[in-house]
Structure formats: C-alpha cells, structure tokens
C-alpha cells in the first residue's frame, strides 16, 4: 500500500509563499499521476495541480502562474511551490497518487492565508 504524508502547511500573509511536500512510501506501478487537491470548508475538493509519470503538468486556472508542481523521484517526494498566496487559497491541501481505478490520499495539511 502506498502511504502519503503531506507537510509544509501553515499560516502565511497574503503575497507570501509556502512549499508543500508529499513523501511517498511503497511503490505501485499502476500509478500514472500524482497531484495536489484542496478543500475549503463548505466547498468541493478541487484539483490544484497534477503531474503524470511522463512529466506533463496541469494546473487549475486559479493558480496558474503562481503555483508549481514538481517531483523528485529519487526522494519519492512530490512538491507544490505556492507563491503570491491569496486568502482564497486557504484550504486543506491533499496529496494524491492516482491509478485508473483507485487512488491513494494523504491526511492533508492546512494552509491559511491571512493578515
């Protein structure tokens, strides 16, 4: 079973930056993408950014130009660099590892953007 552990969340002022990390243990060769999702209170969980096994990236329109998803295969770690943070970025951020028929999820890390 793949285990995912997010870290790096916290409180930051508008315009600030945070770097989230997702440490993965185990291996599943059916996984074809990893990504970051977020969920704010009362809202649906939404895709923030994803990266496939071939390195193709995808971003939500709301974060394009501000967030960057990357991975370090040697360290089995996924990253989300978040710059120019806005209050509307406040949410619990979840890491995912996705196969066609199933997905693994981390426990989430809270990001709060507030002055």
């Amino acid at each position: 079973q793949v285990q995912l552990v997010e870290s790096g969340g916290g409180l930051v002022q508008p315009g600030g930056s945070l770097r989230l990390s997702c440490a993965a243990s185990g291996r599943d060769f059916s996984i074809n993408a990893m990504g970051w999702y977020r969920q704010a209170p009362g809202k649906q969980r939404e895709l923030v950014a994803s990266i496939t096994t071939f390195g193709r990236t995808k971003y939500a329109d709301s974060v394009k130009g501000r967030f960057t998803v990357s991975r370090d295969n040697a360290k089995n770690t996924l990253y989300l660099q978040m710059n120019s943070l806005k209050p509307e970025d406040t949410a619990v951020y979840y890491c995912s590892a996705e196969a066609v028929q199933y997905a693994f999820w981390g426990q989430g890390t809270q990001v709060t953007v507030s002055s």
Side-chain angles (χ1 to χ4, degrees):
Q1 194 86 329
V2 175
Q3 300 274 84
L4 304 173
V5 180
E6 302 97 332
S7 62
L11 175 64
V12 65
Q13 293 184 338
S17 297
L18 284 173
R19 184 176 179 86
L20 305 183
S21 298
C22 173
S25 62
R27 192 180 295 272
D28 185 333
F29 293 106
S30 293
I31 292 172
N32 54 44
M34 296 190 70
W36 291 96
Y37 290 73
R38 67 187 181 187
Q39 187 167 29
K43 295 185 177 181
Q44 293 280 92
R45 187 174 298 187
E46 64 174 346
L47 175 69
V48 176
S50 65
I51 184 167
T52 71
T53 55
F54 296 101
R56 180 184 294 272
T57 58
K58 182 166 60 179
Y59 297 92
D61 288 342
S62 60
V63 307
K64 284 182 179 177
R66 300 189 297 120
F67 291 11
T68 303
V69 63
S70 62
R71 66 187 179 197
D72 186 333
N73 290 333
K75 296 181 178 180
N76 294 317
T77 301
L78 183 75
Y79 301 98
L80 184 67
Q81 178 66 47
M82 305 187 295
N83 298 325
S84 302
L85 283 161
K86 304 174 180 179
E88 51 262 44
D89 295 318
T90 296
V92 177
Y93 284 70
Y94 297 90
C95 176
S96 70
E98 302 171 356
V100 173
Q101 295 180 290
Y102 58 90
F104 300 98
W105 296 90
Q107 83 289 347
T109 185
Q110 176 72 48
V111 172
T112 302
V113 184
S114 177
S115 59

